[in-house]
Amino acid sequence: MAAKEEKASGGGGDPKGGWQGTLLIVLKFLFAALFLPVVIGSTMALQNEVMGFDASLRHSLWIGLVAYLVLFFFVYDFAHVYQFGQNVMTFCFQFFKPMLNFAPYVLPIYTIVVLIAFAVMSAMGKAHEWQGMFFSLIAFTFSMHIILTAKDLYKKDPGFGKPTYFFGMELVYIIDVFLIALVMNVVLPGFSFIEFFKRLSGVSLDIYKPVIGQLFGVHW
């Protein structure tokens, strides 16, 4: 009887409640803040490399980005298309459990497919006439992946302040941009992963240094 009363009153403790739960929430917010400079750095580094493309190709990228945003807000968000890609990734990693729940989020499958298709067309000498379309598809599919991943992770986090969402989405975004930069380095002429990484590191350190200096009195 006592055991039943203890269970009914929450005795035994919810492992996600109490001070442990509060500590976990604080740590997630702390790590989210810690990763924010890397998010900014990776975004600026990617933008810096994109600015090295021909103006017409940059225009194609903008067309792909804007096209997805317009469709997302006013017509169709491609959620079913996104979910199909998630299911494909889940199937591919079903025998590799450490990546089973992570891979669908960190591998933008449609963008990778578009980049591979572009590489194949380039090898056949037929990519030039379709460059604009491929660049628009790269921006379109990557925007779809990031936005719908954010939407999915947001829904899955019931916690106050969405700590898991902020931490997880930052991590996913950083890995996504990093992987796409690696693939672009191989596939797209004029894209340098080395320069991307240098820019990412430089911007991130420029943000970390003054913050660390203020907190710990470190002089660089």
Side-chain angles (χ1 to χ4, degrees), residues 123-202:
M124 297 170 61
K126 298 181 179 180
H128 182 73
E129 56 190 297
W130 300 99
Q131 266 190 331
M133 183 195 72
F134 275 112
F135 273 64
S136 292
L137 284 174
I138 289 167
F140 187 98
T141 55
F142 192 67
S143 300
M144 178 185 72
H145 177 80
I146 292 297
I147 291 172
L148 293 183
T149 294
K151 185 178 178 181
D152 191 24
L153 291 177
Y154 187 87
K155 287 181 178 178
K156 288 181 177 178
D157 183 11
F160 174 75
K162 303 289 184 181
T164 303
Y165 163 72
F166 284 111
F167 170 64
M169 190 59 217
E170 283 186 349
L171 195 59
V172 166
Y173 179 81
I174 291 167
I175 296 173
D176 273 347
V177 173
F178 196 86
L179 289 175
I180 286 299
L182 277 172
V183 179
M184 283 183 167
N185 178 73
V186 176
V187 174
L188 301 182
F191 191 100
S192 170
F193 180 80
I194 294 175
E195 292 301 320
F196 164 84
F197 189 77
K198 285 181 180 178
R199 180 72 171 172
L200 187 162
S201 302

Side-chain angles (χ1 to χ4, degrees), residues 6-7 9-22:
E6 183 181 356
K7 184 176 181 180
S9 63
D14 183 353
K16 294 183 180 179
W19 67 269
Q20 297 100 328
T22 302

